[in-house]
């Protein structure tokens, strides 16, 4: 992450670019933290199967991460890949919108469980997944603004 931060400082000399770059860097760190928390949660409570309603949220997190990695690949030759990058960014925004609805549905299922430990555990997992989706969406917004500046 230090290398990414140093690249941001060198690439964006004006205040707006630097601000978006630092924000994008912070969001990358936050996405990493959400993933670390998710893996810690999953490893601490291995015996339980994720409620079916949460599968869509998990799938959207995975798809969003994959799309972000593809958009970042386009930054190497942005001029020729501008439309592709924008299309992927729109997909990511769509994942966040779908994720909001899926999180609401999942919360209903979680709060309908009988075991209070399960409720607490799955609510925490859902919170991390929702945070990850939000960070991906915000990161994409920063990335779009940075790419528009180039």
């Amino acid at each position: 992450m230090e290398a990414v931060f140093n690249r941001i400082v060198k690439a964006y000399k004006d205040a707006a670019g630097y601000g978006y770059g630092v924000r994008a860097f912070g969001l990358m760190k936050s996405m990493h933290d959400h993933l670390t928390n998710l893996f810690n949660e999953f490893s601490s409570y291995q015996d339980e199967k994720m409620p079916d309603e949460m599968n869509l949220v998990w799938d959207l997190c995975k798809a969003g991460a994959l799309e972000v990695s593809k958009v970042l690949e386009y930054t190497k030759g942005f001029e020729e890949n501008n439309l592709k990058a924008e299309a992927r960014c729109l997909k990511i925004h769509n994942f966040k919108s779908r994720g909001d609805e899926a999180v609401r549905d999942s919360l209903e299922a979680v709060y309908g469980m009988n075991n209070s430990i399960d409720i607490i555990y799955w609510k925490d997992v859902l919170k991390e997944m929702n945070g990850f989706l939000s960070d991906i969406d915000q990161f994409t917004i920063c990335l779009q603004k940075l790419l528009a500046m180039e």
Side-chain angles (χ1 to χ4, degrees):
M1 286 194 183
E2 185 177 336
V4 173
F5 185 74
N6 289 337
R7 185 172 176 204
I8 289 168
V9 170
K10 289 178 185 174
Y12 300 103
K13 301 297 183 197
D14 65 334
Y18 182 75
Y20 287 126
V22 170
R23 174 91 173 114
F25 179 77
L27 288 163
M28 286 173 41
K29 168 106 176 63
S30 182
M31 286 186 282
H32 175 269
D33 292 346
H34 284 298
L35 286 177
T36 301
N37 292 341
L38 275 170
F39 288 118
N40 288 339
E41 290 282 345
F42 285 143
S43 65
S44 69
Y45 204 65
Q46 295 174 359
D47 297 336
E48 279 300 314
K49 181 183 171 294
M50 185 175 351
D52 290 338
E53 294 83 0
M54 290 177 66
N55 285 331
L56 177 59
V57 181
W58 180 244
D59 290 344
L60 290 169
C61 287
K62 291 187 297 186
L66 182 63
E67 291 299 320
V68 165
S69 70
K70 289 178 181 177
V71 170
L72 289 173
E73 285 296 316
Y74 291 146
T75 61
K76 294 175 185 166
F78 188 67
E79 291 299 320
E80 61 271 8
N81 294 312
N82 185 8
L83 293 177
K84 291 179 187 175
E86 279 299 317
R88 291 200 184 274
C89 289
L90 289 174
K91 279 177 80 173
I92 294 167
H93 296 313
N94 186 8
F95 291 158
K96 175 58 179 145
S97 297
R98 290 176 55 203
D100 289 341
E101 187 175 322
V103 165
R104 284 190 294 274
D105 294 343
S106 298
L107 276 173
E108 286 180 26
V110 166
Y111 284 117
M113 294 177 165
N114 294 328
N115 184 343
S116 59
I117 293 173
D118 288 343
I119 293 170
I120 293 168
Y121 172 75
W122 289 115
K123 180 187 69 66
D124 289 345
V125 167
L126 197 56
K127 177 183 170 191
E128 293 297 336
M129 286 193 288
N130 189 42
F132 183 74
L133 276 175
S134 293
D135 286 349
I136 285 178
D137 187 51
Q138 291 300 308
F139 178 76
T140 304
I141 292 168
C142 287
L143 193 59
Q144 285 175 298
K145 291 180 181 184
L146 286 169
L147 293 174
M149 292 177 163
E150 289 188 355

